[in-house]
Amino acid sequence: GHDFYNSILLVKVLDITILTIAISNFIGYQIFITIGKERLMLRSTIIGACINIIANILLLYFFDYVGVAMASVLAEMAVTMYQYHHLRKMDLYSPDMRFIISVISSSIVMTIVVISINCLVDNMYIRFPFSVACGIFSYFIFTIALKNEFSLNILENSLLFFGIDVS
């Protein structure tokens, strides 16, 4: 209800941490711990905690409770960047920039499609399934148009499943 109106901005600010926490957890738990680099994970956590404390002190004064959310985002981003930096130094991972660009571009297109549908369709019972279906479809089509190997593989296997040979 109306009592939770102020929390909308907080959720929007903290949404960024969904991605950064997922990436840092993957790097930390799936890579660093499995190769015996727990100290890097601990160091990144300590750095994040220090940044969070300092940013909280500074941002709380200027932005109130939104500043606390912003401090959490900065801390999580620092943890992720620190871990990613050390992962790159170990030469265990070399990102495929074409893949990353196709995913980001497709996500932007999907977001535009979903927001457009949400603005145009008033009925929630029609809007939700329609925006989900169109979002998935637009993302998939755009990744195929950008020659994303993962999406092309899914398309090829789907066509083979239905007996359509693409070779």
Side-chain angles (χ1 to χ4, degrees):
H2 195 294
D3 295 339
F4 295 98
Y5 184 74
N6 290 340
S7 66
I8 294 171
L9 179 58
L10 291 177
V11 170
K12 287 181 179 182
V13 171
L14 290 171
D15 274 351
I16 299 166
T17 62
I18 294 170
L19 181 62
T20 57
I21 290 172
I23 293 169
S24 68
N25 279 336
F26 175 76
I27 294 171
Y29 289 107
Q30 301 299 322
I31 298 173
F32 287 168
I33 287 181
T34 58
I35 64 172
K37 300 286 185 184
E38 295 90 351
R39 290 196 118 167
L40 282 174
M41 192 169 154
L42 176 63
R43 211 173 299 137
S44 70
T45 304
I46 291 170
I47 289 169
C50 292
I51 288 173
N52 201 343
I53 291 168
I54 294 167
N56 266 310
I57 292 168
L58 297 173
L59 296 174
L60 179 63
Y61 178 76
F62 294 106
F63 299 104
D64 200 25
Y65 57 90
V66 177
V68 175
M70 292 166 57
S72 296
V73 170
L74 288 173
E76 291 298 338
M77 290 175 82
V79 168
T80 303
M81 289 189 304
Y82 181 85
Q83 290 181 351
Y84 182 74
H85 170 73
H86 283 280
L87 181 64
R88 291 288 309 265
K89 277 177 47 179
M90 286 189 251
D91 202 27
L92 295 172
Y93 172 71
S94 179
D96 179 1
M97 290 309 291
R98 184 174 173 182
F99 175 79
I100 292 170
I101 290 169
S102 75
V103 169
I104 291 171
S105 302
S106 300
S107 297
I108 291 169
V109 168
M110 179 185 70
T111 301
I112 292 168
V113 167
V114 169
I115 289 172
S116 299
I117 290 169
N118 286 339
C119 291
L120 295 173
V121 180
D122 290 329
N123 186 325
M124 180 181 71
Y125 298 107
I126 295 172
R127 181 179 59 216
F128 178 71
F130 189 62
S131 64
V132 168
C134 289
I136 292 169
F137 182 75
S138 64
Y139 181 87
F140 189 65
I141 293 300
F142 206 75
T143 55
I144 289 172
L146 293 175
K147 299 187 183 339
N148 179 304
E149 288 183 40
F150 183 74
S151 294
L152 289 170
N153 192 16
I154 290 173
L155 177 62
E156 184 179 326
N157 288 333
S158 299
L159 291 173
L160 287 174
F161 179 79
F162 290 108
I164 303 169
D165 188 17
V166 289
S167 48

